[in-house]
Amino acid sequence: MSGMRRGLSLVLGEANHARLHAALTLACAAAALGRPVRLFLHGEAVAALQPSRQWAGDAAYAASAMPSVAELLEGALEMGVTVMACQSGLHLCGIAATSLPEGVETGGMVAFLAGAGEDETALG
């Protein structure tokens, strides 16, 4: 792996504002450093992909000049972070795959882990 930066694969399993915000911030920071980054939103965490979702915590973050979850997600996608939504989570939350932001993939945990290879993997 000489010359290549080790990838970062993050798995998020709940729709918790602070965890989503931290994971998306980490994903953006790693991508800014040139690391390949993959993000898997499992179960209820796929709620972060709803474009109209308003997070209660976003108001406090905005007051501190910090981006919202939606802004971080948009930035992550623009920086080339691979974002995958759990197919079961989409069904669980009643979200249609066609309503996901452009660039978000759908799949399962096996496909995500198969693509992670030798990435550093963390659960958030």
Side-chain angles (χ1 to χ4, degrees):
M1 224 180 358
S2 65
M4 286 184 56
R5 294 195 149 213
R6 189 170 178 201
L8 177 63
S9 289
L10 302 170
V11 178
L12 297 171
E14 64 179 297
N16 174 288
H17 179 269
R19 286 181 179 263
L20 290 166
H21 201 281
L24 286 164
T25 300
L26 178 61
C28 288
L33 292 172
R35 289 181 71 178
V37 181
R38 305 176 82 242
L39 182 63
F40 184 75
L41 298 166
H42 176 73
E44 294 174 356
V46 300
L49 300 172
Q50 293 174 303
S52 61
R53 175 76 187 246
Q54 298 295 313
W55 296 90
D58 279 343
Y61 281 64
S64 296
M66 295 173 67
S68 68
V69 167
E71 291 167 335
L72 284 169
L73 177 62
E74 182 180 339
L77 288 165
E78 288 173 0
M79 295 175 80
V81 172
T82 299
V83 178
M84 183 180 284
C86 171
Q87 291 170 322
S88 297
L90 291 172
H91 291 284
L92 176 69
C93 295
I95 300 171
T98 55
S99 71
L100 296 174
E102 188 175 333
V104 174
E105 304 171 9
T106 61
M109 188 68 77
V110 172
F112 179 77
L113 289 175
E118 297 296 318
D119 285 2
E120 179 180 355
T121 304
L123 177 63

